[in-house]
């Protein structure tokens, strides 16, 4: 969720040196940033999603040079940094910066589409239809309005719902992108990494030793972690923790299962171990999280 006035939640994004429409740790909204490079370096675990409304933008990253035209959406996952950007005189944009944690939590059932696109296929610029441009603008305006006029806690539930709808729409766009033949030929390493993410996502009990995942992929744990770092800047263990933590968040907030039942469902040997894990990765006990004290 989006939490204002929380220092703990600001660990993902800190743009205190910029004037922005809104910042609350997990979400930053920018209206018409002409030089995207000024936003970097982002805090770890931050995704940048920028729609070019008019004009064009030349973007340089460490890996490639990109041109973003009107009607294009630029996706920059946490492992991609914009080192330089040059915009045309008529360039206008709408930008979201969202934490990985927020995206994982809101997409949950469609997270594989997102991960495959931004980490495996490495799609950075996607052309969208006029209708999709208009819809992105509607989302942007409504979310920004809700943020700017929020005076009570209740609207944050609405902001979360709007962000989830936006991300689901973006996943539909990403799922239907036609990738050029030269980009479709994934390296052996990327194929393995993609399979690893699929294995975690499809396992109900995600918190398994890395050696178990590596064995299923017929590689060593060391090689698996090397591939994860290469393609995502996260270790294999960090991926398992991220997926496990979001499962915990989901079941505590969105199910009628008891905490004991959730602990067993997710493969914890006992309640004490589950409680310690939740405190370590969420900062509070399972019962406190369920009561909404995150």
């Amino acid at each position: 969720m989006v939490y204002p006035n929380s220092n703990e939640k600001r660990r993902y994004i800190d743009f205190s040196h910029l004037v922005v429409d809104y910042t609350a740790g997990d979400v930053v909204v920018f209206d018409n940033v002409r030089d995207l490079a000024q936003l970097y370096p982002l805090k770890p675990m931050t995704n940048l999603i920028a729609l070019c409304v008019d004009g064009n933008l030349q973007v340089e990253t460490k890996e490639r040079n990109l041109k973003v035209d009107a009607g294009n959406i630029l996706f920059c996952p946490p492992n991609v940094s914009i080192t330089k950007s040059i915009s045309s005189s008529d360039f206008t944009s709408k930008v979201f910066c969202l934490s990985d944690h927020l995206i994982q939590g809101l997409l949950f059932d469609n997270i594989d589409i997102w991960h495959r696109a931004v980490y495996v296929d490495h799609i950075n610029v996607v052309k969208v239809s006029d209708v999709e441009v208009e819809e992105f603008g509607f989302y942007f305006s409504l979310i920004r309005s809700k943020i700017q006029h929020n005076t009570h806690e209740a609207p944050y539930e609405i902001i979360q719902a709007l962000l989830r709808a936006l991300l689901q729409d973006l996943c539909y766009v990403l799922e239907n992108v036609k990738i050029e033949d030269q980009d479709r030929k994934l390296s052996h390493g990327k194929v393995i990494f993609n399979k690893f993410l699929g294995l975690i996502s499809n396992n109900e009990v995600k918190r398994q030793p890395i050696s178990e995942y590596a064995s299923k992929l017929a590689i060593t744990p060391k090689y698996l972690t090397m591939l994860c770092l290469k393609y995502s800047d996260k270790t294999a263990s960090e991926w398992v923790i991220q997926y496990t933590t979001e499962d915990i968040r989901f079941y505590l907030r969105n199910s009628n299962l008891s905490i004991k039942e959730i602990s067993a469902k997710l493969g914890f040997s006992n309640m004490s171990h589950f409680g310690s894990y939740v405190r370590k990765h969420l900062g509070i006990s399972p019962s406190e999280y369920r009561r909404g004290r995150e």
Side-chain angles (χ1 to χ4, degrees):
M1 286 188 61
V2 182
Y3 295 88
N5 303 322
S6 169
N7 291 329
E8 194 274 335
K9 287 297 170 187
R10 296 182 69 88
R11 68 186 183 278
Y12 291 106
I13 304 172
D14 182 8
F15 295 146
S16 56
H17 61 294
L18 297 173
V19 177
V20 299
D21 291 312
Y22 176 73
T23 176
D26 280 332
V27 181
V28 180
V29 179
F30 298 90
D31 191 358
N32 198 25
V33 177
R34 294 189 58 82
D35 182 6
L36 294 183
Q38 71 174 297
L39 306 184
Y40 286 84
L42 303 182
K43 285 281 185 162
M45 311 295 282
T46 303
N47 299 259
L48 182 144
I49 305 165
L51 169 69
C52 175
V53 180
D54 292 302
N56 62 76
L57 181 72
Q58 300 285 341
V59 172
E60 291 183 10
T61 72
K62 292 181 179 179
E63 299 179 346
R64 59 204 291 199
N65 295 332
L66 304 165
K67 184 180 180 184
V68 188
D69 292 314
N72 290 175
I73 296 179
L74 172 68
F75 294 88
C76 283
N79 59 318
V80 175
S81 296
I82 296 174
T83 55
K84 182 179 180 181
S85 68
I86 302 173
S87 59
S88 62
S89 59
D90 58 342
F91 173 74
T92 59
S93 64
K94 298 181 185 301
V95 183
F96 286 101
C97 286
L98 306 177
S99 73
D100 226 21
H101 148 63
L102 182 71
I103 290 176
Q104 176 94 15
L106 292 181
L107 283 178
F108 193 72
D109 48 353
N110 278 337
I111 192 63
D112 272 359
I113 297 172
W114 180 271
H115 284 162
R116 185 176 66 249
V118 300
Y119 289 110
V120 181
D121 294 334
H122 212 72
I123 298 170
N124 293 113
V125 177
V126 176
K127 181 173 177 56
V128 294
S129 67
D130 291 343
V131 171
E132 288 164 336
V133 168
E134 186 177 29
E135 289 175 348
F136 189 101
F138 288 153
Y139 279 121
F140 185 90
S141 297
L142 187 52
I143 291 170
R144 185 179 60 176
S145 177
K146 288 294 183 183
I147 288 169
Q148 289 176 333
H149 299 98
N150 174 51
T151 55
H152 306 287
E153 290 189 6
Y156 286 101
E157 297 289 343
I158 299 173
I159 293 169
Q160 176 175 290
L162 291 170
L163 285 169
R164 175 174 166 77
L166 167 64
L167 289 170
Q168 294 284 3
D169 267 352
L170 290 176
C171 276
Y172 176 80
V173 169
L174 290 170
E175 194 173 24
N176 289 280
V177 169
K178 304 298 182 184
I179 305 173
E180 297 298 327
D181 287 343
Q182 62 268 27
D183 294 329
R184 189 181 291 115
K185 297 175 182 177
L186 301 178
S187 67
H188 180 63
K190 276 197 173 183
V191 170
I192 294 175
F193 175 63
N194 191 26
K195 288 181 178 179
F196 171 60
L197 294 183
L199 283 175
I200 306 176
S201 179
N202 292 326
N203 278 341
E204 185 167 78
V205 178
K206 297 175 173 57
R207 196 181 59 86
Q208 298 183 26
I210 299 305
S211 58
E212 290 288 330
Y213 286 110
S215 177
K216 292 176 182 177
L217 295 167
I219 59 174
T220 66
K222 183 177 180 179
Y223 184 56
L224 176 57
T225 287
M226 185 195 77
L227 291 177
C228 290
L229 286 170
K230 179 178 180 180
Y231 296 117
S232 70
D233 283 347
K234 299 179 192 176
T235 66
S237 294
E238 287 171 336
W239 274 111
V240 171
I241 290 170
Q242 179 173 322
Y243 271 89
T244 301
T245 302
E246 294 312 323
D247 273 4
I248 292 170
R249 292 179 192 273
F250 178 82
Y251 287 115
L252 285 176
R253 285 285 175 84
N254 300 286
S255 79
N256 294 321
L257 296 174
S258 68
I259 292 176
K260 184 177 181 180
E261 289 172 328
I262 295 172
S263 172
K265 183 178 182 68
L266 299 183
F268 289 86
S269 57
N270 56 64
M271 286 283 289
S272 176
H273 188 193
F274 180 68
S276 297
Y277 189 93
V278 174
R279 286 186 183 89
K280 179 178 179 179
H281 296 290
L282 296 184
I284 54 178
S285 71
S287 57
E288 288 175 321
Y289 187 86
R290 170 157 273 182
R291 291 196 298 267
R293 291 182 56 187
E294 184 185 16

